[in-house]
Amino acid sequence: QVQLVESGGGLVQAGGSLRLSCAASGRTFSTLGMAWFRQPPGKEREFVAAISRSAGNTNYADSVKGRFTISRDNAKNTGYLQMNSLKPEDTAVYYCAAQPAYFGGSRYSYNYWGRGTQVTVSS
């Protein structure tokens, strides 16, 4: 029902910034909570940030609080993850996810996923 496509990943030096985008197709984007997850090499996928459908509520993993900002523009059917003060441990494949009436941190509760975008942070 919903397709998500991430973009904006790349290679940056520690301390740098990147903005990831999640472009959604379908008429229901504005009804969806959305989130960002990441999967470092050799590790399990982990929660990064989530935002409610109207952007009134957000949640962040402790590891990214104060550095990352999740946002969305429903008119553009696009979600964003602004990443500042990047660290080598932020290196991972970053995934966008969406689910009706949900914006929590459980990866098992999201039915719609993008294919991911690689973020690599050098020391």
Side-chain angles (χ1 to χ4, degrees):
Q1 300 294 326
V2 178
Q3 289 78 46
L4 306 173
V5 180
E6 303 95 337
S7 62
L11 174 65
V12 298
Q13 292 184 325
S17 298
L18 283 174
R19 189 180 75 162
L20 305 183
S21 297
C22 175
S25 62
R27 299 186 299 273
T28 60
F29 179 73
S30 63
T31 72
L32 302 172
M34 64 163 292
W36 290 92
F37 292 78
R38 67 187 183 186
Q39 188 163 12
K43 298 182 179 180
E44 296 182 0
R45 192 169 301 185
E46 64 184 24
F47 171 73
V48 175
I51 188 168
S52 61
R53 63 188 181 95
S54 63
N57 294 286
T58 58
N59 293 294
Y60 295 92
D62 288 342
S63 60
V64 305
K65 287 181 179 178
R67 299 189 299 121
F68 291 11
T69 302
I70 188 170
S71 62
R72 66 191 296 163
D73 187 338
N74 288 341
K76 297 181 179 179
N77 289 346
T78 303
Y80 304 96
L81 183 69
Q82 178 67 46
M83 305 185 295
N84 298 326
S85 301
L86 284 163
K87 305 175 181 179
E89 49 263 45
D90 295 319
T91 295
V93 176
Y94 283 71
Y95 298 89
C96 178
Q99 181 66 29
Y102 186 78
F103 61 100
S106 174
R107 66 181 184 272
Y108 306 108
S109 296
Y110 289 91
N111 285 333
Y112 304 111
W113 292 86
R115 295 181 179 179
T117 185
Q118 177 70 48
V119 172
T120 302
V121 184
S122 62
S123 60

